Amino acid sequence: MAIVIVVGAQWGDEGKGKLVDFLTHKADLVARYQGGHNAGHTVVINNEKYVLHLIPSGVLHKDKVCIIGNGVVVEPAALIDEIKGLRERGIKIGGNLLISKNAHLIMPYHIALDNAGEKMRGKKCIGTTGRGIGPTYVDKMARTGIRVGDLLSPEVFMGKVASNLKNINFLLKNLYKAGGFSAQKIFNEYMAYTKILRKHIADTDLIINEAVIAGKNVLLEGAQGTLLDIDHGTYPYVTSSNSIAGGACTGVGIGPTKISRVLGVVKAYTTRVGSGPLPTELSDATGEEIRRKGGEFGATTGRPRRCGWLDTVILRHAAAINGLTGIAITKLDILDGLEKIKICTAYRYKGKTYNHFLKETDVFEKCTPVYEEMEGWQESTLGIKEFKKLPSRAQAYIRRIEELVGVKAHIISTGQKRDELILLRNQF
Ligand code: GDP
Ligand code: IMO
Ligand code: MG
């Protein structure tokens, strides 16, 4: 038995969905531990593409228990849409999908506050997904949040909505010059959602810990990535939750002593959506080519992703902060055909060299990467399933990443599809 965390090692969109789907073959239970429907996790099976936002990427396997943990923020309408969309495509969703009573609800006013806040920040905006994520976590920490379990007590729910709206409507009208919300309307809407979701609401911490005691294989799926973590990312250009491995323990209610492995998902180059520093960003034809070939457009908002060379400084940071036991390198095939490939090994700022991630976001924004150059490979790696079949220069690239990051590659992904990967070490 094993408890495995899958965590993004960069700025999100590393290919976590594909990896979680693959690892679910051997898992009994898969749980999301933070974030909300700001996430977009893509899984391609044969030629069918699925994008999961809130539901764990293990849902495409029959008979696996899928849990939305307490650390997740849930927009009920989005969740219902996702369930409906999957059912229409023949995916069975019944008692196997469970939502924590302690997960916080995204309310319509959180979405309004998210968008109004971004508008007010103007040029300094974070570039959020506009899904209400930040304001929902604000309410959670301020202890004014409304939880999924509150849906089961209509009076409690109504009391909390009415109380919150006193402040929020004042703020919306007077600060943001936006429209307010009616408590009754929200109540009616959310009670209708409750009718649909009621059977999925559960004490998920008990269920997960029972599975752990029973010796089951548990997979904990992170959203976003290490550099988008609220504490360890490029603050304030981050999301509002702990996306790192530590967030998995708080986000589902498992003790740290139970975790067996932490697999960091590393895209073979770097991408980022939204604002904030990205030292290795390529604003030239190579960046454009990587975006085009890699289909680097947001799975949630459709925005073009900013692309750049691999940055091993942030990967060393990710290895340390998450306690990575292995890495999965994805999208190797996208680098096929490049003449030269660069790897960032350090940063330069005002004549000094830095070998570690810079916490001062304004400095990180201005530092220049120190690159090491490797010869690219001209052969196709698409769909290769054995390490020794990779072109020797691609093998050298993988080995150099392992050296620079100090963590071994356990999986190498060579295509979008479920079976397009090289498995070097089992996780379960
Ligand atoms: P996530 O948010 O970490 O789950 O990643 P996304 O789904 O947002 O973005 C990753 C994209 O890359 C998706 O379109 C995947 O289908 C795709 N992908 C994942 N692994 C590979 C790979 O090894 N090669 C290629 N070509 N595409 C991949
Ligand atoms: P997955 O799980 C990439 C980014 C947004 C924005 C910042 C804050 O698919 O990897 P938020 O709406 O969370 O308040 O936005 O975080 N962001 C992501 N970028 N992948 C994601 O998820 C992201 N979720 C949020 O673009 O810069
Ligand atoms: Mg994504």
Side-chain angles (χ1 to χ4, degrees):
M1 99 168 217
I3 317 295
V4 178
I5 301 174
V6 173
V7 65
Q10 294 151 317
W11 278 275
D13 304 325
E14 297 92 348
K16 299 176 291 295
K18 167 174 172 167
L19 267 299
V20 169
D21 169 71
F22 171 75
L23 294 172
T24 299
H25 283 294
K26 287 198 179 164
D28 301 291
L29 187 154
V30 188
R32 265 282 300 273
Y33 60 83
Q34 45 67 238
H37 64 314
N38 49 349
H41 296 180
T42 316
V43 179
V44 178
I45 304 169
N46 302 321
N47 289 317
E48 286 282 312
K49 175 172 155 178
Y50 301 86
V51 182
L52 287 318
H53 298 286
L54 266 170
I55 300 178
S57 304
V59 73
L60 305 172
H61 292 257
K62 256 198 223 155
D63 305 325
K64 306 284 176 172
V65 180
C66 290
I67 288 180
I68 296 177
N70 57 275
V72 176
V73 287
V74 179
E75 211 277 88
L79 177 57
I80 291 166
D81 270 357
E82 196 170 327
I83 295 173
K84 224 175 112 198
L86 288 170
R87 280 191 183 140
E88 279 166 7
R89 297 177 71 180
I91 308 298
K92 269 207 181 131
I93 299 181
N96 63 322
L97 176 69
L98 300 166
I99 313 158
S100 167
K101 283 179 185 167
N102 284 4
H104 278 249
L105 287 167
I106 298 181
M107 307 297 289
Y109 48 81
H110 291 134
I111 298 165
L113 287 169
D114 189 1
N115 292 308
E118 280 285 272
K119 207 168 141 195
M120 192 163 262
R121 280 189 284 269
K123 275 193 181 153
K124 291 197 162 164
C125 72
I126 294 160
T128 72
T129 58
R131 302 293 193 268
I133 307 295
T136 307
Y137 281 112
V138 167
D139 270 358
K140 171 175 175 171
M141 292 307 177
R143 292 157 292 179
T144 49
I146 307 180
R147 303 197 287 184
V148 168
D150 292 328
L151 292 171
L152 305 176
S153 308
E155 272 176 38
V156 172
F157 179 82
M158 182 58 167
K160 290 187 179 182
V161 174
S163 160
N164 285 353
L165 280 181
K166 279 187 203 149
N167 290 339
I168 282 160
N169 278 342
F170 181 85
L171 201 66
L172 281 171
K173 282 179 197 158
N174 296 293
L175 178 65
Y176 295 116
K177 312 292 175 212
F181 289 87
S182 138
Q184 190 61 50
K185 214 171 145 218
I186 291 180
F187 178 81
N188 295 346
E189 209 180 294
Y190 277 58
M191 286 304 117
Y193 300 146
T194 307
K195 276 192 190 151
I196 302 168
L197 295 177
R198 180 182 295 274
K199 59 176 176 291
H200 300 287
I201 301 173
D203 290 303
T204 54
D205 57 316
L206 296 180
I207 293 162
I208 293 186
N209 281 292
E210 272 168 20
V212 173
I213 289 165
K216 300 270 169 77
N217 285 335
V218 175
L219 196 50
L220 303 175
E221 175 179 0
Q224 290 83 54
T226 304
L227 276 298
L228 287 174
D229 180 272
I230 187 78
D231 284 290
H232 298 283
T234 44
Y235 192 88
Y237 300 104
V238 291
T239 191
S240 297
S241 63
N242 282 117
S243 46
I244 60 163
C249 292
T250 55
V252 297
I254 288 187
T257 51
K258 301 283 189 273
I259 306 301
S260 326
R261 268 180 279 286
V262 183
L263 182 70
V265 188
V266 174
K267 199 182 283 193
Y269 47 94
T270 312
T271 64
R272 155 160 224 175
V273 209
S275 325
L278 181 58
T280 62
E281 183 164 12
L282 289 166
S283 318
D284 59 3
T286 309
E288 191 53 51
E289 177 64 4
I290 292 175
R291 176 161 39 250
R292 189 195 58 77
K293 228 176 135 192
E296 296 296 353
F297 296 88
T300 295
T301 57
R303 291 178 290 176
R305 294 173 181 156
R306 300 156 61 195
C307 300
W309 296 117
L310 188 75
D311 182 340
T312 57
V313 186
I314 65 144
L315 292 179
R316 282 197 291 276
H317 171 65
I321 296 295
N322 294 296
L324 298 183
T325 54
I327 55 175
I329 300 173
T330 63
K331 303 192 92 160
L332 186 70
D333 53 297
I334 302 304
L335 299 182
D336 293 354
L338 288 173
E339 202 184 316
K340 303 270 182 197
I341 296 175
K342 289 185 185 179
I343 305 181
C344 166
T345 56
Y347 308 122
R348 294 276 297 168
Y349 181 69
K350 288 196 174 166
K352 270 182 82 179
T353 303
Y354 296 88
N355 293 306
H356 57 83
F357 168 60
L358 300 169
K359 295 186 178 67
E360 300 76 7
T361 300
D362 56 324
V363 175
F364 194 49
E365 222 154 30
K366 293 185 206 110
C367 71
T368 48
V370 176
Y371 285 121
E372 178 175 297
E373 206 172 66
M374 294 187 79
E375 296 296 322
W377 55 92
Q378 304 311 308
E379 306 89 327
S380 166
T381 62
L382 184 68
I384 290 184
K385 296 186 179 79
E386 282 174 67
F387 190 80
K388 60 177 193 295
K389 291 201 173 148
L390 285 175
S392 60
R393 286 172 176 176
Q395 293 188 17
Y397 185 59
I398 303 284
R399 293 304 179 218
R400 188 65 186 134
I401 296 171
E402 289 178 326
E403 248 167 44
L404 287 166
V405 182
V407 183
K408 290 273 180 222
H410 288 186
I411 297 174
I412 297 156
S413 176
T414 54
Q416 274 198 304
K417 292 181 189 162
R418 202 177 236 183
D419 59 343
E420 288 177 329
L421 57 77
I422 301 165
L423 181 63
L424 296 169
R425 198 160 316 167
N426 278 319
Q427 302 301 301
F428 289 110

